[in-house]
Amino acid sequence: MENLNKMDNPEFYDARMKLEAIHQDIKRLMEKSNQEYLDLMLSNLKKDILNSVSVYISDDIENDLEQNMVNPCKMRETCKEKFPRVVTTEDSHHNFTF
């Protein structure tokens, strides 16, 4: 009978509600932390993929240039140096002169 009286006690009810609120706060914090971690992992994955593709394209450009450029040309070395930068870096957003 005494246990029933404790359950009806307003202080016990308040404590229980506070514990439930703390539990919900911790649960939200964990969900937010997990989401932030997943966002960070996804961002890093995107960077890694883009970096890999960029390296592949850069290597492919150099090989294609070497194979397809006119051989007896005074500008050959200049083009081989500058063209890959135009395609693969921020230099492509600027005026580029030879």
Side-chain angles (χ1 to χ4, degrees):
M1 189 73 153
E2 190 177 320
N3 285 343
L4 289 176
N5 290 340
K6 285 183 181 179
M7 296 292 270
D8 292 334
N9 188 343
E11 290 176 10
F12 179 77
Y13 181 75
D14 287 345
R16 188 171 180 170
M17 293 303 291
K18 287 178 183 176
L19 282 173
E20 181 63 27
I22 291 170
H23 173 75
Q24 292 300 321
D25 288 344
I26 290 172
K27 188 175 176 182
R28 277 192 297 274
L29 180 63
M30 288 174 58
E31 288 171 356
K32 184 178 178 187
S33 295
N34 287 339
Q35 185 62 46
E36 288 172 352
Y37 178 73
L38 288 173
D39 290 345
L40 178 63
M41 293 296 291
L42 184 58
S43 175
N44 287 338
L45 180 62
K46 286 178 185 178
K47 287 178 190 173
D48 290 346
I49 289 172
L50 288 174
N51 192 23
S52 296
V53 169
S54 178
V55 167
Y56 174 79
I57 289 172
S58 178
D59 289 346
D60 195 42
I61 288 169
E62 290 177 25
N63 290 335
D64 285 350
L65 275 175
E66 184 64 38
Q67 291 174 358
N68 297 317
M69 287 179 71
V70 177
N71 200 358
C73 177
K74 293 184 240 178
M75 297 295 291
R76 184 178 177 89
E77 292 305 313
T78 303
C79 290
K80 281 174 54 177
E81 174 190 333
K82 294 187 178 189
F83 186 72
R85 287 189 298 157
V86 170
V87 175
T88 60
T89 67
E90 292 178 16
D91 288 341
S92 62
H93 301 297
H94 304 288
N95 290 336
F96 208 82
T97 58
F98 288 93

XYZ file of all heavy atoms in Angstrom:
814
model
N 0.810 -1.183 0.000
C 0.000 0.000 0.000
C 0.857 1.251 0.000
O 0.513 2.251 -0.610
C -0.907 -0.066 1.235
C -1.941 0.984 1.251
S -3.146 0.529 0.019
C -4.557 1.263 0.596
N 1.989 1.137 0.685
C 2.880 2.299 0.765
C 3.448 2.651 -0.602
O 3.628 3.817 -0.946
C 4.004 2.015 1.759
C 4.830 3.233 2.073
C 5.880 2.928 3.126
O 5.594 2.210 4.082
O 6.992 3.425 2.945
N 3.747 1.651 -1.456
C 4.263 1.900 -2.802
C 3.254 2.657 -3.651
O 3.624 3.497 -4.458
C 4.624 0.586 -3.493
C 5.918 0.004 -2.950
O 6.687 0.713 -2.300
N 6.129 -1.263 -3.205
N 2.002 2.351 -3.511
C 0.979 3.072 -4.258
C 0.933 4.539 -3.859
O 0.748 5.411 -4.692
C -0.401 2.433 -4.047
C -0.601 1.080 -4.708
C -1.978 0.523 -4.335
C -0.495 1.196 -6.206
N 1.109 4.806 -2.618
C 1.114 6.192 -2.153
C 2.304 6.946 -2.730
O 2.197 8.120 -3.070
C 1.132 6.262 -0.618
C -0.188 5.800 -0.015
O -1.203 5.795 -0.704
N -0.163 5.405 1.247
N 3.448 6.272 -2.865
C 4.634 6.919 -3.449
C 4.401 7.233 -4.923
O 4.836 8.248 -5.430
C 5.874 6.030 -3.292
C 6.425 6.012 -1.899
C 7.686 5.177 -1.858
C 8.234 5.134 -0.442
N 9.433 4.321 -0.363
N 3.711 6.357 -5.642
C 3.451 6.572 -7.055
C 2.533 7.776 -7.279
O 2.629 8.467 -8.266
C 2.812 5.336 -7.690
C 3.698 4.115 -7.677
S 5.111 4.283 -8.756
C 4.433 3.633 -10.231
N 1.660 8.006 -6.357
C 0.736 9.131 -6.464
C 1.358 10.436 -5.983
O 0.776 11.495 -6.172
C -0.541 8.848 -5.661
C -1.351 7.718 -6.278
O -1.221 7.513 -7.506
O -2.095 7.052 -5.551
N 2.504 10.353 -5.403
C 3.167 11.528 -4.852
C 3.573 12.480 -5.985
O 4.227 12.072 -6.941
C 4.404 11.066 -4.076
C 5.070 12.181 -3.309
O 4.836 13.349 -3.569
N 5.898 11.788 -2.358
N 3.207 13.769 -5.929
C 3.560 14.729 -6.986
C 5.065 14.893 -7.166
O 5.531 15.110 -8.279
C 2.920 16.040 -6.525
C 1.970 15.694 -5.450
C 2.365 14.356 -4.900
N 5.838 14.759 -6.107
C 7.304 14.888 -6.220
C 7.876 13.742 -7.054
O 8.769 13.946 -7.860
C 7.943 14.914 -4.836
C 7.653 16.185 -4.070
C 8.218 16.150 -2.664
O 8.986 15.218 -2.344
O 7.887 17.054 -1.900
N 7.340 12.531 -6.841
C 7.786 11.383 -7.623
C 7.434 11.592 -9.096
O 8.240 11.342 -9.985
C 7.133 10.099 -7.088
C 7.535 8.875 -7.855
C 8.777 8.288 -7.644
C 6.679 8.295 -8.782
C 9.162 7.160 -8.349
C 7.054 7.173 -9.495
C 8.297 6.607 -9.281
N 6.247 12.094 -9.360
C 5.805 12.356 -10.722
C 6.693 13.422 -11.373
O 7.102 13.272 -12.522
C 4.341 12.816 -10.719
C 3.798 13.080 -12.104
C 3.473 12.022 -12.948
C 3.632 14.381 -12.570
C 2.981 12.256 -14.223
C 3.138 14.620 -13.844
C 2.816 13.562 -14.662
O 2.341 13.796 -15.925
N 7.022 14.498 -10.659
C 7.903 15.553 -11.171
C 9.287 15.002 -11.485
O 9.864 15.320 -12.529
C 8.017 16.704 -10.164
C 6.758 17.553 -10.095
O 5.917 17.438 -11.011
O 6.630 18.320 -9.123
N 9.809 14.186 -10.605
C 11.135 13.602 -10.831
C 11.115 12.717 -12.072
O 12.040 12.739 -12.884
C 11.581 12.812 -9.605
N 10.045 11.954 -12.210
C 9.925 11.073 -13.371
C 9.845 11.891 -14.663
O 10.457 11.549 -15.675
C 8.704 10.189 -13.212
C 8.609 9.148 -14.256
C 7.531 8.174 -13.957
N 7.514 7.201 -15.031
C 6.841 6.104 -15.015
N 6.120 5.799 -13.971
N 6.871 5.284 -16.035
N 9.093 12.981 -14.653
C 8.975 13.841 -15.824
C 10.321 14.485 -16.162
O 10.682 14.616 -17.329
C 7.911 14.921 -15.598
C 6.499 14.365 -15.498
S 5.995 13.420 -16.943
C 5.892 14.703 -18.149
N 11.058 14.886 -15.137
C 12.380 15.485 -15.368
C 13.332 14.456 -15.975
O 14.084 14.778 -16.892
C 12.944 16.051 -14.071
C 12.247 17.316 -13.630
C 12.797 17.833 -12.313
C 12.011 19.072 -11.870
N 12.451 19.551 -10.560
N 13.290 13.229 -15.471
C 14.133 12.168 -16.033
C 13.757 11.896 -17.492
O 14.634 11.682 -18.336
C 14.011 10.885 -15.220
C 14.782 10.853 -13.911
C 14.444 9.591 -13.133
C 16.278 10.935 -14.165
N 12.476 11.894 -17.791
C 12.029 11.685 -19.164
C 12.523 12.813 -20.066
O 12.976 12.576 -21.191
C 10.500 11.590 -19.228
C 9.956 11.350 -20.607
C 10.388 10.030 -21.231
O 10.670 9.056 -20.497
O 10.464 9.971 -22.470
N 12.463 14.057 -19.575
C 12.946 15.206 -20.347
C 14.453 15.090 -20.580
O 14.940 15.356 -21.687
C 12.618 16.505 -19.630
N 15.195 14.694 -19.570
C 16.651 14.502 -19.710
C 16.926 13.404 -20.728
O 17.805 13.542 -21.592
C 17.290 14.178 -18.336
C 17.241 15.406 -17.430
C 18.732 13.687 -18.514
C 17.634 15.115 -15.984
N 16.172 12.321 -20.650
C 16.337 11.217 -21.602
C 16.096 11.692 -23.034
O 16.865 11.366 -23.948
C 15.376 10.079 -21.238
C 15.339 8.976 -22.242
N 16.360 8.054 -22.355
C 14.422 8.659 -23.191
C 16.063 7.215 -23.335
N 14.887 7.558 -23.854
N 15.044 12.465 -23.252
C 14.744 12.985 -24.587
C 15.835 13.927 -25.077
O 16.208 13.911 -26.252
C 13.372 13.690 -24.595
C 12.204 12.746 -24.400
C 12.125 11.683 -25.475
O 12.374 11.935 -26.647
N 11.783 10.462 -25.072
N 16.369 14.773 -24.174
C 17.462 15.679 -24.548
C 18.700 14.897 -24.979
O 19.337 15.224 -25.980
C 17.821 16.613 -23.384
C 16.776 17.682 -23.136
O 15.929 17.908 -24.027
O 16.807 18.291 -22.043
N 19.034 13.866 -24.226
C 20.201 13.035 -24.562
C 19.974 12.329 -25.896
O 20.876 12.255 -26.737
C 20.485 12.026 -23.429
C 21.003 12.775 -22.194
C 21.487 10.966 -23.881
C 21.125 11.914 -20.960
N 18.762 11.833 -26.098
C 18.432 11.147 -27.352
C 18.585 12.104 -28.538
O 19.171 11.749 -29.565
C 17.003 10.622 -27.267
C 16.598 9.730 -28.402
C 15.211 9.170 -28.161
C 14.740 8.352 -29.327
N 13.386 7.839 -29.116
N 18.067 13.338 -28.415
C 18.202 14.324 -29.499
C 19.663 14.675 -29.743
O 20.098 14.816 -30.891
C 17.408 15.595 -29.164
C 15.946 15.509 -29.502
C 15.269 16.871 -29.424
N 15.295 17.448 -28.101
C 14.404 17.205 -27.139
N 13.404 16.388 -27.366
N 14.505 17.784 -25.962
N 20.435 14.813 -28.677
C 21.858 15.125 -28.807
C 22.595 14.011 -29.548
O 23.414 14.280 -30.430
C 22.481 15.352 -27.423
C 23.961 15.690 -27.387
C 24.222 17.018 -28.096
C 24.458 15.762 -25.962
N 22.276 12.770 -29.219
C 22.913 11.636 -29.896
C 22.532 11.603 -31.375
O 23.386 11.369 -32.234
C 22.532 10.326 -29.209
C 23.193 10.137 -27.860
S 22.625 8.676 -26.979
C 22.995 7.379 -28.119
N 21.255 11.852 -31.682
C 20.819 11.859 -33.075
C 21.506 12.972 -33.852
O 21.941 12.773 -34.987
C 19.296 12.020 -33.142
C 18.546 10.793 -32.706
C 17.048 11.023 -32.559
O 16.591 12.181 -32.717
O 16.337 10.043 -32.281
N 21.615 14.149 -33.226
C 22.280 15.274 -33.883
C 23.760 14.961 -34.114
O 24.301 15.236 -35.180
C 22.131 16.545 -33.046
C 22.714 17.760 -33.698
C 22.511 19.004 -32.861
C 23.173 20.200 -33.541
N 23.155 21.381 -32.698
N 24.414 14.379 -33.116
C 25.832 14.022 -33.252
C 26.019 13.003 -34.358
O 26.961 13.107 -35.152
C 26.373 13.459 -31.933
O 26.357 14.444 -30.940
N 25.137 12.013 -34.423
C 25.227 11.005 -35.479
C 25.029 11.641 -36.847
O 25.731 11.306 -37.798
C 24.200 9.892 -35.252
C 24.577 8.981 -34.110
O 25.727 8.903 -33.709
N 23.595 8.290 -33.576
N 24.068 12.565 -36.954
C 23.825 13.231 -38.234
C 25.029 14.064 -38.640
O 25.436 14.059 -39.798
C 22.573 14.116 -38.155
C 22.201 14.742 -39.478
C 21.870 13.708 -40.544
O 21.129 12.767 -40.289
N 22.408 13.873 -41.727
N 25.621 14.787 -37.685
C 26.801 15.597 -37.990
C 27.960 14.707 -38.439
O 28.693 15.046 -39.366
C 27.202 16.433 -36.777
C 26.243 17.571 -36.487
C 26.529 18.281 -35.179
O 27.383 17.817 -34.398
O 25.879 19.306 -34.933
N 28.119 13.557 -37.783
C 29.174 12.618 -38.165
C 28.934 12.086 -39.577
O 29.858 12.036 -40.397
C 29.228 11.467 -37.154
C 30.250 10.417 -37.499
C 31.615 10.676 -37.338
C 29.874 9.181 -37.997
C 32.559 9.721 -37.660
C 30.804 8.224 -38.318
C 32.145 8.496 -38.149
O 33.078 7.552 -38.475
N 27.687 11.715 -39.877
C 27.370 11.229 -41.223
C 27.592 12.317 -42.270
O 28.116 12.042 -43.350
C 25.925 10.741 -41.279
C 25.640 9.435 -40.545
C 24.139 9.144 -40.541
C 26.412 8.276 -41.142
N 27.221 13.561 -41.941
C 27.448 14.672 -42.869
C 28.937 14.862 -43.128
O 29.356 15.098 -44.258
C 26.839 15.969 -42.329
C 25.325 15.960 -42.344
O 24.730 15.087 -43.019
O 24.725 16.820 -41.661
N 29.736 14.768 -42.073
C 31.188 14.908 -42.214
C 31.757 13.775 -43.070
O 32.570 14.023 -43.963
C 31.859 14.917 -40.835
C 33.372 14.999 -40.814
C 33.854 16.318 -41.431
C 33.894 14.863 -39.393
N 31.302 12.551 -42.823
C 31.779 11.408 -43.608
C 31.397 11.564 -45.077
O 32.205 11.300 -45.964
C 31.195 10.098 -43.047
C 31.700 9.737 -41.665
S 33.473 9.411 -41.642
C 33.527 7.907 -42.553
N 30.185 12.005 -45.341
C 29.729 12.202 -46.714
C 30.539 13.294 -47.401
O 30.945 13.147 -48.553
C 28.241 12.544 -46.736
C 27.605 12.673 -48.105
C 27.759 11.390 -48.906
C 26.141 13.050 -47.972
N 30.808 14.367 -46.688
C 31.608 15.457 -47.245
C 33.014 14.968 -47.591
O 33.543 15.277 -48.666
C 31.679 16.608 -46.241
O 32.526 17.620 -46.680
N 33.622 14.215 -46.692
C 34.962 13.676 -46.951
C 34.954 12.688 -48.117
O 35.887 12.666 -48.920
C 35.521 13.009 -45.695
C 35.932 14.009 -44.646
O 36.192 15.182 -44.935
N 35.966 13.582 -43.402
N 33.904 11.898 -48.203
C 33.788 10.954 -49.311
C 33.695 11.692 -50.642
O 34.365 11.327 -51.614
C 32.563 10.060 -49.114
C 32.302 9.020 -50.194
C 33.449 8.021 -50.283
C 30.991 8.305 -49.922
N 32.896 12.755 -50.683
C 32.785 13.559 -51.907
C 34.131 14.136 -52.299
O 34.518 14.105 -53.475
C 31.779 14.694 -51.708
C 30.346 14.255 -51.689
C 29.437 15.447 -51.438
C 28.000 15.051 -51.294
N 27.139 16.223 -50.992
N 34.856 14.673 -51.316
C 36.181 15.244 -51.594
C 37.126 14.185 -52.139
O 37.871 14.430 -53.099
C 36.774 15.861 -50.327
C 36.130 17.145 -49.902
C 36.750 17.648 -48.612
C 35.960 18.797 -48.031
N 36.459 19.186 -46.705
N 37.118 13.003 -51.529
C 38.000 11.922 -51.977
C 37.669 11.487 -53.403
O 38.564 11.267 -54.221
C 37.905 10.716 -51.037
C 38.535 10.981 -49.677
O 39.272 11.990 -49.547
O 38.278 10.190 -48.749
N 36.389 11.361 -53.701
C 35.983 10.954 -55.048
C 36.373 12.020 -56.062
O 36.937 11.717 -57.126
C 34.477 10.652 -55.100
C 34.194 9.365 -54.337
C 33.988 10.538 -56.538
C 32.723 9.065 -54.148
N 36.077 13.280 -55.751
C 36.422 14.357 -56.677
C 37.931 14.453 -56.881
O 38.396 14.694 -57.999
C 35.870 15.687 -56.174
C 34.357 15.839 -56.280
C 33.915 17.143 -55.620
C 33.898 15.790 -57.719
N 38.683 14.246 -55.833
C 40.141 14.278 -55.947
C 40.629 13.135 -56.838
O 41.493 13.338 -57.696
C 40.782 14.206 -54.562
C 42.246 14.531 -54.587
O 42.737 15.208 -55.488
N 42.955 14.075 -53.577
N 40.071 11.955 -56.654
C 40.463 10.808 -57.487
C 40.134 11.052 -58.954
O 40.948 10.769 -59.839
C 39.749 9.539 -57.015
O 40.160 9.205 -55.722
N 38.943 11.570 -59.218
C 38.539 11.859 -60.593
C 39.442 12.934 -61.188
O 39.872 12.842 -62.342
C 37.053 12.285 -60.648
C 36.693 12.837 -62.005
C 36.153 11.115 -60.287
N 39.766 13.942 -60.397
C 40.635 15.020 -60.868
C 42.020 14.500 -61.243
O 42.569 14.865 -62.285
C 40.750 16.094 -59.786
O 41.609 17.108 -60.184
N 42.579 13.635 -60.423
C 43.896 13.060 -60.715
C 43.817 12.210 -61.984
O 44.694 12.296 -62.852
C 44.407 12.222 -59.517
C 45.598 11.363 -59.906
C 44.758 13.137 -58.358
N 42.760 11.422 -62.112
C 42.589 10.590 -63.304
C 42.493 11.457 -64.558
O 43.151 11.188 -65.567
C 41.343 9.715 -63.156
C 41.022 8.938 -64.400
C 41.717 7.771 -64.712
C 40.038 9.379 -65.280
C 41.431 7.056 -65.868
C 39.750 8.674 -66.430
C 40.447 7.518 -66.728
O 40.170 6.827 -67.863
N 41.688 12.499 -64.488
C 41.512 13.387 -65.651
C 42.820 14.095 -65.985
O 43.187 14.219 -67.146
C 40.382 14.400 -65.389
C 39.041 13.683 -65.410
C 40.400 15.523 -66.413
C 37.867 14.549 -64.984
N 43.523 14.539 -64.964
C 44.799 15.225 -65.176
C 45.799 14.303 -65.883
O 46.454 14.713 -66.846
C 45.360 15.689 -63.840
O 46.603 16.313 -64.000
N 45.891 13.082 -65.418
C 46.800 12.120 -66.056
C 46.364 11.828 -67.491
O 47.198 11.737 -68.397
C 46.843 10.810 -65.265
C 47.561 10.958 -63.933
O 48.252 11.987 -63.733
O 47.414 10.053 -63.088
N 45.073 11.714 -67.689
C 44.526 11.434 -69.020
C 44.807 12.596 -69.979
O 45.164 12.380 -71.139
C 43.026 11.169 -68.909
C 42.457 10.530 -70.154
O 43.109 9.622 -70.715
O 41.348 10.948 -70.558
N 44.673 13.805 -69.485
C 44.942 14.993 -70.307
C 46.397 15.008 -70.746
O 46.710 15.246 -71.923
C 44.601 16.286 -69.535
C 43.094 16.442 -69.412
C 45.199 17.509 -70.214
C 42.687 17.541 -68.456
N 47.298 14.757 -69.816
C 48.723 14.766 -70.153
C 49.044 13.696 -71.194
O 49.782 13.965 -72.148
C 49.556 14.572 -68.886
C 49.518 15.777 -67.967
C 50.287 15.565 -66.687
O 51.224 14.734 -66.668
O 49.956 16.237 -65.704
N 48.492 12.526 -71.030
C 48.738 11.449 -72.002
C 48.165 11.797 -73.373
O 48.823 11.590 -74.398
C 48.144 10.130 -71.510
C 48.893 9.572 -70.326
O 50.069 9.867 -70.128
N 48.211 8.782 -69.527
N 46.943 12.301 -73.401
C 46.317 12.669 -74.677
C 47.069 13.796 -75.369
O 47.228 13.791 -76.592
C 44.852 13.072 -74.472
C 43.961 11.874 -74.229
O 44.421 10.724 -74.406
O 42.787 12.094 -73.848
N 47.506 14.774 -74.589
C 48.286 15.869 -75.191
C 49.563 15.339 -75.829
O 49.904 15.699 -76.953
C 48.646 16.914 -74.129
C 47.625 17.986 -73.840
C 48.104 18.844 -72.671
C 47.382 18.851 -75.054
N 50.234 14.513 -75.111
C 51.498 13.965 -75.614
C 51.276 13.192 -76.900
O 52.053 13.312 -77.848
C 52.130 13.068 -74.542
C 53.484 12.527 -74.904
C 54.543 13.625 -75.069
O 54.525 14.599 -74.297
O 55.371 13.505 -75.993
N 50.225 12.437 -76.965
C 49.963 11.603 -78.140
C 49.400 12.386 -79.324
O 49.656 12.029 -80.472
C 48.980 10.482 -77.784
C 49.560 9.456 -76.856
C 48.513 8.448 -76.408
O 47.344 8.546 -76.773
N 48.932 7.489 -75.597
N 48.651 13.449 -79.084
C 47.904 14.090 -80.166
C 48.417 15.467 -80.594
O 47.865 16.042 -81.532
C 46.426 14.207 -79.769
C 45.785 12.861 -79.574
O 46.003 11.949 -80.353
N 45.009 12.717 -78.519
N 49.424 15.963 -79.953
C 49.945 17.273 -80.356
C 50.821 17.141 -81.602
O 51.451 16.102 -81.833
C 50.766 17.888 -79.225
C 49.909 18.386 -78.082
S 50.899 19.077 -76.755
C 51.453 20.571 -77.514
N 50.862 18.211 -82.335
C 51.731 18.244 -83.519
C 53.167 18.223 -83.008
O 53.542 19.004 -82.127
C 51.461 19.518 -84.351
C 52.398 19.604 -85.527
C 50.010 19.556 -84.792
N 53.972 17.349 -83.595
C 55.317 17.185 -83.069
C 56.275 18.319 -83.424
O 56.888 18.868 -82.526
C 55.881 15.838 -83.496
C 57.026 15.419 -82.612
O 57.417 16.138 -81.711
N 57.561 14.251 -82.870
N 56.417 18.708 -84.633
C 57.354 19.810 -84.872
C 56.668 21.163 -84.631
O 56.246 21.840 -85.559
C 57.765 19.640 -86.326
C 56.656 18.909 -86.978
C 55.974 18.121 -85.912
N 56.554 21.558 -83.376
C 55.876 22.816 -83.052
C 56.682 23.558 -81.987
O 57.098 22.965 -80.991
C 54.464 22.543 -82.555
S 53.593 24.031 -82.065
N 56.872 24.843 -82.210
C 57.642 25.652 -81.249
C 56.914 25.783 -79.911
O 57.546 25.954 -78.880
C 57.877 27.046 -81.815
C 58.771 27.099 -83.024
C 58.996 28.535 -83.409
C 58.488 28.736 -84.821
N 58.620 30.110 -85.280
N 55.598 25.724 -79.926
C 54.806 25.942 -78.716
C 54.494 24.652 -77.952
O 53.791 24.685 -76.948
C 53.478 26.628 -79.103
C 53.629 27.995 -79.717
S 54.323 29.181 -78.560
C 52.982 29.337 -77.412
N 55.039 23.561 -78.395
C 54.706 22.262 -77.800
C 54.927 22.237 -76.285
O 54.022 21.870 -75.542
C 55.521 21.167 -78.479
C 55.178 19.772 -77.987
C 55.997 18.718 -78.746
N 55.723 17.405 -78.246
C 54.766 16.617 -78.683
N 53.984 17.025 -79.653
N 54.592 15.428 -78.166
N 56.079 22.615 -75.842
C 56.378 22.576 -74.400
C 55.511 23.569 -73.617
O 55.051 23.265 -72.511
C 57.863 22.830 -74.137
C 58.774 21.711 -74.624
C 58.376 20.368 -74.043
O 58.146 20.275 -72.813
O 58.296 19.390 -74.826
N 55.266 24.719 -74.193
C 54.415 25.714 -73.540
C 52.990 25.182 -73.398
O 52.370 25.298 -72.331
C 54.401 27.035 -74.342
O 55.735 27.497 -74.489
C 53.562 28.082 -73.656
N 52.471 24.597 -74.434
C 51.121 24.038 -74.394
C 51.038 22.880 -73.387
O 50.068 22.779 -72.634
C 50.691 23.558 -75.773
S 50.403 24.909 -76.931
N 52.043 22.016 -73.391
C 52.057 20.885 -72.462
C 52.087 21.377 -71.013
O 51.517 20.744 -70.133
C 53.256 19.980 -72.734
C 53.049 19.055 -73.910
C 54.285 18.263 -74.278
C 54.878 17.504 -73.138
N 56.030 16.687 -73.540
N 52.717 22.494 -70.786
C 52.797 23.042 -69.429
C 51.493 23.726 -69.024
O 50.995 23.537 -67.920
C 53.945 24.051 -69.347
C 54.023 24.771 -68.022
C 54.999 25.926 -68.062
O 55.957 25.894 -68.848
O 54.767 26.875 -67.301
N 50.928 24.519 -69.916
C 49.803 25.379 -69.545
C 48.425 24.750 -69.729
O 47.518 25.027 -68.951
C 49.885 26.700 -70.300
C 51.090 27.509 -69.877
C 51.100 28.870 -70.470
C 52.341 29.622 -69.949
N 52.298 31.008 -70.324
N 48.243 23.950 -70.730
C 46.911 23.431 -71.008
C 46.324 22.599 -69.858
O 45.164 22.793 -69.493
C 46.892 22.634 -72.317
C 45.512 22.198 -72.712
C 44.589 23.130 -73.181
C 45.125 20.885 -72.581
C 43.307 22.743 -73.527
C 43.855 20.486 -72.921
C 42.940 21.411 -73.393
N 47.076 21.696 -69.263
C 46.491 20.935 -68.140
C 46.047 21.841 -66.981
O 45.039 21.565 -66.340
C 47.626 20.005 -67.700
C 48.463 19.852 -68.917
C 48.394 21.179 -69.624
N 46.771 22.907 -66.734
C 46.366 23.836 -65.669
C 45.066 24.540 -66.025
O 44.244 24.802 -65.159
C 47.452 24.871 -65.397
C 48.648 24.266 -64.660
C 49.591 25.335 -64.218
N 50.122 26.030 -65.390
C 50.618 27.256 -65.362
N 50.646 27.938 -64.251
N 51.071 27.805 -66.461
N 44.882 24.853 -67.288
C 43.646 25.513 -67.719
C 42.459 24.591 -67.475
O 41.407 25.016 -67.011
C 43.719 25.893 -69.216
C 42.363 26.341 -69.724
C 44.749 26.979 -69.443
N 42.618 23.330 -67.746
C 41.520 22.376 -67.644
C 41.243 21.964 -66.196
O 40.092 21.801 -65.809
C 41.817 21.132 -68.509
C 40.757 20.072 -68.322
C 41.925 21.535 -69.963
N 42.275 21.822 -65.386
C 42.099 21.199 -64.072
C 42.152 22.138 -62.879
O 41.913 21.700 -61.768
C 43.173 20.111 -63.851
O 44.458 20.721 -63.926
C 43.042 18.997 -64.853
N 42.463 23.403 -63.048
C 42.572 24.275 -61.887
C 41.739 25.526 -62.055
O 41.080 25.731 -63.060
C 44.036 24.708 -61.634
O 44.453 25.543 -62.708
C 44.956 23.522 -61.482
N 41.840 26.384 -61.078
C 41.113 27.639 -61.107
C 41.633 28.569 -62.203
O 40.982 29.543 -62.543
C 41.220 28.329 -59.755
C 40.482 27.599 -58.657
C 40.643 28.265 -57.309
O 41.069 29.427 -57.267
O 40.326 27.619 -56.313
N 42.795 28.264 -62.747
C 43.324 29.083 -63.845
C 42.344 29.134 -65.005
O 42.365 30.066 -65.805
C 44.669 28.529 -64.359
C 45.775 28.775 -63.346
O 45.604 29.644 -62.460
O 46.803 28.089 -63.443
N 41.464 28.159 -65.094
C 40.521 28.123 -66.213
C 39.498 29.242 -66.109
O 38.801 29.537 -67.063
C 39.809 26.773 -66.280
O 39.058 26.578 -65.103
N 39.399 29.880 -64.949
C 38.452 30.978 -64.772
C 39.080 32.332 -65.128
O 38.421 33.347 -65.034
C 37.969 31.029 -63.330
C 37.291 29.764 -62.900
N 36.128 29.312 -63.489
C 37.613 28.860 -61.965
C 35.775 28.189 -62.913
N 36.651 27.894 -61.986
N 40.314 32.316 -65.492
C 41.020 33.554 -65.786
C 41.392 33.604 -67.259
O 41.437 32.582 -67.937
C 42.313 33.634 -64.943
C 42.058 33.518 -63.468
N 41.473 34.510 -62.738
C 42.294 32.513 -62.607
C 41.374 34.134 -61.476
N 41.860 32.917 -61.368
N 41.691 34.779 -67.714
C 42.218 34.902 -69.078
C 43.604 34.285 -69.095
O 44.426 34.562 -68.228
C 42.291 36.367 -69.497
C 40.918 36.969 -69.705
O 39.959 36.245 -69.978
N 40.823 38.267 -69.554
N 43.859 33.498 -70.067
C 45.128 32.782 -70.125
C 45.798 33.106 -71.448
O 45.208 32.929 -72.497
C 44.851 31.278 -70.010
C 45.978 30.522 -69.416
C 46.135 30.486 -68.055
C 46.879 29.852 -70.224
C 47.170 29.770 -67.488
C 47.907 29.143 -69.672
C 48.053 29.104 -68.293
N 47.014 33.593 -71.390
C 47.720 33.952 -72.624
C 48.970 33.100 -72.753
O 49.590 32.731 -71.772
C 48.108 35.434 -72.631
O 48.930 35.710 -71.502
C 46.871 36.312 -72.596
N 49.337 32.865 -74.010
C 50.564 32.115 -74.301
C 51.656 33.069 -74.668
O 51.524 34.069 -75.189
C 50.320 31.118 -75.455
C 49.479 29.970 -75.044
C 48.095 29.995 -75.211
C 50.046 28.864 -74.472
C 47.319 28.938 -74.838
C 49.257 27.783 -74.100
C 47.899 27.829 -74.284
